[in-house]
Amino acid sequence: IRFNLDAQDTVSCRLPLIVIETGGQTIDDDIKIDAWLKVIDNGPGTMNNQFQEGTDYEGNIGIEIRGQSSQMFPKKSYSFELRTGDGADSTASLLGMPAEEDWVLYAPYSDKTMLRNALTFHLGSRMGEWQPRNRWCEVYLDGNYAGVYQLMESIKRDSNRVDISKLKPDEVAGDDLTGGYIIKADKIDNYGSDEYFQIKPAVHYENSDDYRFTYVYPKHDEIVAVQKAYIKKYLTDLENSLNGSSFSDPATGFRKYLDVRSFVDFQIIQEF
């Protein structure tokens, strides 16, 4: 709910506010630019306006446009990281979510209900696994109203997010080599050849040949060659076991490679 407070058209709303100032710069889709962020949340039932001081955070950030196909929409999504005055990484708790450095401002442009991602994350969390925490907010960019957004946790290795083992560049043997890893099946537009890999399963399907995976954790410029080879072989072996004649074997079939319950839950939510 939004309404004018006074004759100067100061607008107030019940949703938290995200105020971003770039100093006239254009936000790019490749390299984060330096900007200023203010997060205003006076609590449930209390009005917020963009000219208040920040309640959760007021300081430096690096920000870039997020997404691939969605970049064509007039309402952009953004990724940003909190920074200190000298550009070092910083963390803060935003809108009640655990303190972290990296965040997402998701613009629900193609979803006119603006509810689908939030509902999906809610149902996924009720199944017992981590889903990105998120809060509705309204965004002002360089003094202009940009619309309703979701402030969300980005997917990354963290004790409060994807709680997997830390993988160092020198961990290249034994149990250390097994992870953790976070990768995603993704488009590779604007990716360099060292930022993704392909697998070629023995059994081919028209719509799934040459799967392309990008590195999320460790990042492409931090993961070493032995670790790259391990995770590529792991996924190739998984595909071959899933599509092979002994796929149901409890010791050598697909169960050896994946958590069956989490994959079933994922498919239920995906289809819903």
Side-chain angles (χ1 to χ4, degrees):
I1 299 173
R2 308 176 71 244
F3 59 88
N4 290 340
L5 280 182
D6 56 33
Q8 296 180 352
D9 289 336
T10 300
V11 177
S12 184
C13 70
R14 296 187 188 278
L15 288 176
L17 297 181
I18 304 292
V19 179
I20 300 168
E21 298 289 342
T22 69
Q25 301 176 84
T26 299
I27 301 177
D28 200 359
D29 65 350
D30 187 28
I31 299 175
K32 289 184 173 68
I33 66 165
D34 293 326
W36 184 265
L37 175 75
K38 182 167 61 173
V39 181
I40 302 166
D41 182 20
N42 292 310
T46 305
M47 308 306 290
N48 307 291
N49 77 75
Q50 73 205 73
F51 300 107
Q52 291 179 281
E53 293 184 356
T55 58
D56 291 32
Y57 183 82
E58 186 165 357
N60 297 282
I61 62 168
I63 187 170
E64 64 183 344
I65 296 176
R66 179 179 184 268
Q68 294 192 23
S69 299
S70 63
Q71 290 195 23
M72 71 181 70
F73 299 152
K75 186 177 182 180
K76 310 298 185 187
S77 293
Y78 302 100
S79 296
F80 67 88
E81 61 185 17
L82 307 184
R83 294 175 175 175
T84 63
D86 59 5
D89 296 341
S90 182
T91 64
S93 172
L94 303 183
L95 303 184
M97 294 179 278
E100 237 289 348
E101 168 196 356
D102 297 302
W103 301 87
V104 168
L105 272 173
Y106 166 66
Y109 177 77
S110 58
D111 171 18
K112 302 310 180 186
T113 71
M114 298 192 290
L115 292 172
R116 293 175 183 167
N117 273 8
L119 177 60
T120 301
F121 293 149
H122 171 72
L123 294 174
S125 66
R126 292 297 297 270
M127 288 179 164
E129 300 293 337
W130 175 83
Q131 304 291 318
R133 299 174 184 88
N134 57 97
R135 288 283 308 276
W136 296 108
C137 59
E138 295 195 75
V139 173
Y140 285 86
L141 178 59
D142 290 332
N144 297 310
Y145 180 68
V148 175
Y149 277 72
Q150 278 178 277
L151 177 66
M152 304 188 337
E153 295 179 311
S154 60
I155 298 174
K156 65 178 294 186
R157 192 203 72 81
D158 185 275
S159 59
N160 290 310
R161 296 188 183 181
V162 184
D163 191 12
I164 57 174
S165 299
K166 191 170 185 177
L167 185 62
K168 301 176 182 177
D170 61 352
E171 294 180 319
V172 293
D175 288 343
D176 289 343
L177 181 59
T178 64
Y181 297 88
I182 305 175
I183 58 172
K184 60 180 178 179
D186 203 3
K187 301 173 185 177
I188 58 170
D189 298 342
N190 302 320
Y191 278 79
S193 59
D194 61 337
E195 297 181 64
Y196 70 93
F197 65 94
Q198 299 171 260
I199 65 172
K200 297 180 181 293
V203 178
H204 295 280
Y205 293 94
E206 180 180 357
N207 294 326
S208 59
D209 280 353
D210 300 336
Y211 291 117
R212 292 163 174 81
F213 295 93
T214 60
Y215 302 103
V216 177
Y217 179 82
K219 296 178 180 178
H220 76 276
D221 56 353
E222 297 174 351
I223 189 170
V224 298
V226 174
Q227 295 165 350
K228 286 184 174 181
Y230 171 84
I231 194 61
K232 180 176 181 178
K233 182 178 185 303
Y234 191 97
L235 286 173
T236 303
D237 291 346
L238 164 60
E239 285 289 337
N240 289 334
S241 69
L242 182 63
N243 296 315
S245 58
S246 59
F247 74 95
S248 61
D249 188 294
T252 61
F254 68 90
R255 292 174 180 83
K256 176 181 177 181
Y257 299 95
L258 59 83
D259 183 295
V260 176
R261 180 172 180 175
S262 70
F263 270 68
V264 170
D265 287 348
F266 175 82
Q267 292 299 328
I268 290 172
I269 291 294
Q270 185 79 2
E271 292 303 314
F272 179 78

